Amino acid sequence: MRKLIFFVFLALPSIASAQCFSSAGNPVGGSNNMGNLDKRTLSLVAFYHNSYSDRFFEGDKPSSISLIDKARYNFMGALMAYGFSDRFTLEAEAGYFIDKTKFYAIPEGYSLKGFGLTNALVSGKYQIYYNPVKKIEFAASAGLKFPFSLKSMEVNHVRLPFDMQPSTSTIGGVIQAYLIKQHSLTGMRYFLFSRFEANGTNRDGYRFGNSLVNSVFVSKHLIRTSMWPISGTVILQVRNEIRGQTFIREIPEPASGSFKLFLSPQINLAIREKFNVSFMVDLPVYQYYRNAQIADKISFSIVLNKALEL
Amino acid sequence: MRRINQIIRYAWVICSIALLTQCDKPDPGGEGQDEPLVFTRLTAARDTIFTEDTTRLSAEASGYNITYSWWVEKGDLIGSGPEIIFVATPCTVGNNPVTCTVTDGNQQSKSLKVTITVF
């Protein structure tokens, strides 16, 4: 049996409370098992994500806009994957915003809170190439994301602004590609991961911008003693996120779209090779926004994974 | 015997809660049900503002058991009920029609719009 390769990729809004659509239309929150699962292997993932910001950017520079004191979100999600064969894995993921909150500086002391289920994603992953000698694997997946409600969310009969909505309220598509290379002797692994998301137009005429995320992961095993039931892996992820413009009734929204580069150090603890706990921090290295939008500041995630052979 | 007493005590607590909850429910044939729904006006304290500014919107309506629903395409609406605050976020430059819909207990509804111009 091939060892389950578990690394965390979270395709979450950059900052859920982003102003003027800097979040890419609340894309599906999720994580990924890199590579395919073995036949009859079930992987269960649960995660928590927290994001915080207190600044606006215009272009790649901080803006003087001081409308928001701070913005944050708390998000939890789950992913279930099952290996139907050694080459085909079916995945389903969904998430829930515990809160997406803006704390206003103007008017001072007020806040606005959104919450609720995000879009769900069902996708099929196929292993296109696998060389067990060279330890190279290439897989691709395609999926459909769909909302739990087509209606925009209202709180106390007041419709939430679109950057506060928990889901896109419409269907969308996701295409992903994975390239994995392992070095057994050095304990090093290299991953390339790409994810493209396209969104449909919802009932209110909003079409959130498409997004393209590219990640490079480099990992190294830290503990390799057979006596100790826990093994550790340190991972460094460099991630680029490109968000397209949002359209409102087919008119592009000027204050939408962004280009970002993140550095995400991560530690993964595998307990008896069956149960994984991961901790991850997202640090923005470079950010560019069209017009004024709330910029990312810091976020962190905790991920639990359990693999079962059925 | 002790068990029966305990059951009676629990039943009494549950019945009390049920009765208290019942008090909050609207009387289906209650007073004022025949009152017609009238949406008098929807006003903005200021209908022209700059970005990063706010304005207060007020709805004046009468009728039976009214709820106020608010909708705007861009910008943030804070609060609920007959008075809310419109926040001119950076993406609101231009005209922003804000719709308020009042709905009464008989499921009749009426809507009015006010436009906030943001520079």
Side-chain angles (χ1 to χ4, degrees):
Chain A
M1 181 190 166
R2 278 179 294 138
K3 205 164 136 185
L4 176 68
I5 303 164
F6 178 72
F7 286 86
V8 180
F9 171 81
L10 292 170
L12 288 156
S14 50
I15 169 80
S17 302
Q19 193 81 36
C20 297
F21 319 110
S22 76
S23 66
N26 311 304
V28 165
S31 70
N32 273 287
N33 297 298
M34 297 297 175
N36 257 39
L37 293 177
D38 280 331
K39 189 179 178 181
R40 290 183 187 160
T41 299
L42 178 71
S43 172
L44 302 168
V45 179
F47 62 91
Y48 168 78
H49 185 79
N50 180 288
S51 189
Y52 173 86
S53 182
D54 59 2
R55 58 186 181 178
F56 273 83
F57 263 49
E58 271 181 280
D60 59 359
K61 301 276 187 303
S63 164
S64 59
I65 290 172
S66 55
L67 195 64
I68 302 293
D69 181 38
K70 61 186 175 188
R72 65 143 197 252
Y73 72 81
N74 288 288
F75 183 83
M76 55 190 282
L79 178 145
M80 195 166 69
Y82 181 73
F84 275 92
S85 72
D86 285 341
R87 282 183 171 258
F88 181 73
T89 299
L90 188 70
E91 292 183 342
E93 60 183 87
Y96 183 83
F97 280 101
I98 300 160
D99 84 308
K100 292 176 85 170
T101 310
K102 280 184 196 174
F103 297 89
Y104 293 88
I106 304 164
E108 197 181 351
Y110 284 86
S111 64
L112 192 59
K113 183 181 166 184
F115 55 89
L117 285 163
T118 186
N119 294 54
L121 171 68
V122 177
S123 59
K125 188 192 291 178
Y126 188 75
Q127 186 187 66
I128 295 164
Y129 175 79
Y130 178 58
N131 186 325
V133 179
K134 292 183 177 173
K135 302 238 175 205
I136 296 175
E137 183 178 349
F138 178 67
S141 84
L144 185 71
K145 64 175 192 175
F146 55 89
F148 287 97
S149 170
L150 293 172
K151 197 171 175 287
S152 299
M153 189 177 180
E154 294 180 355
V155 175
N156 294 327
H157 303 287
V158 180
R159 199 196 65 163
L160 288 172
F162 261 80
D163 48 344
M164 302 285 286
Q165 293 285 336
S167 89
T168 61
S169 304
T170 184
I171 57 164
V174 178
I175 298 169
Q176 300 175 114
Y178 314 77
L179 181 65
I180 302 160
K181 165 74 182 159
Q182 299 181 66
H183 282 287
S184 302
L185 291 174
T186 58
M188 297 289 288
R189 285 174 179 156
Y190 307 93
F191 301 82
L192 283 173
F193 173 71
S194 289
R195 174 170 173 135
F196 174 75
E197 288 197 35
N199 297 301
T201 303
N202 69 20
R203 282 179 175 180
D204 290 331
Y206 282 69
R207 179 157 56 86
F208 289 100
N210 299 334
S211 67
L212 176 66
V213 181
N214 295 299
S215 281
V216 179
F217 295 75
V218 180
S219 79
K220 167 91 178 145
H221 264 301
L222 285 181
I223 305 161
R224 297 173 70 87
T225 52
S226 56
M227 296 295 287
W228 185 243
I230 299 171
S231 67
T233 305
V234 285
I235 302 149
L236 187 65
Q237 182 195 167
V238 179
R239 188 172 73 254
N240 169 229
E241 297 182 3
I242 303 164
R243 315 280 187 184
Q245 274 190 294
T246 288
F247 287 77
I248 304 173
R249 300 180 207 292
E250 297 308 317
I251 297 166
E253 169 55 40
S256 65
S258 59
F259 179 97
K260 299 174 207 172
L261 199 63
F262 291 92
L263 206 58
S264 301
Q266 181 181 331
I267 185 158
N268 179 18
L269 300 173
I271 301 153
R272 295 189 192 280
E273 302 289 342
K274 289 287 180 190
F275 184 71
N276 291 274
V277 185
S278 289
F279 303 94
M280 188 172 92
V281 179
D282 275 340
L283 305 166
V285 176
Y286 176 79
Q287 303 182 76
Y288 177 89
Y289 296 90
R290 230 185 238 119
N291 294 314
Q293 300 177 48
I294 289 184
D296 286 271
K297 191 160 189 185
I298 192 160
S299 62
F300 72 89
S301 307
I302 302 166
V303 185
L304 303 172
N305 170 251
K306 169 83 177 157
L308 300 161
E309 286 173 54
L310 302 177
Chain B
M1 191 61 188
R2 197 176 158 187
R3 181 92 179 143
I4 292 166
N5 279 342
Q6 214 170 14
I7 291 166
I8 291 169
R9 202 175 303 142
Y10 283 136
W12 183 83
V13 170
I14 290 164
C15 289
S16 304
I17 291 167
L19 281 170
L20 284 171
T21 315
Q22 193 68 23
C23 294
D24 293 337
K25 287 189 177 171
D27 181 2
E31 207 175 310
Q33 196 175 2
D34 299 331
E35 189 183 351
L37 177 66
V38 180
F39 196 168
T40 315
R41 65 174 66 92
L42 176 64
T43 52
R46 288 179 299 149
D47 58 11
T48 304
I49 56 175
F50 288 99
T51 53
E52 293 192 69
D53 203 353
T54 65
T55 183
R56 194 171 286 272
L57 309 179
S58 306
E60 238 183 86
S62 61
Y64 169 66
N65 210 6
I66 297 175
T67 56
Y68 297 82
S69 302
W70 298 86
W71 195 95
V72 69
E73 195 163 79
K74 295 180 186 179
D76 297 356
L77 298 173
I78 305 174
S80 61
E83 265 200 10
I84 58 157
I85 297 167
F86 172 84
V87 183
T89 55
C91 53
T92 54
V93 174
N95 291 329
N96 299 277
V98 182
T99 307
C100 179
T101 303
V102 291
T103 307
D104 68 8
N106 301 315
Q107 298 309 308
Q108 300 295 309
S109 62
K110 286 182 178 175
S111 296
L112 285 177
K113 270 184 193 177
V114 62
T115 298
I116 310 298
T117 305
V118 179
F119 289 100

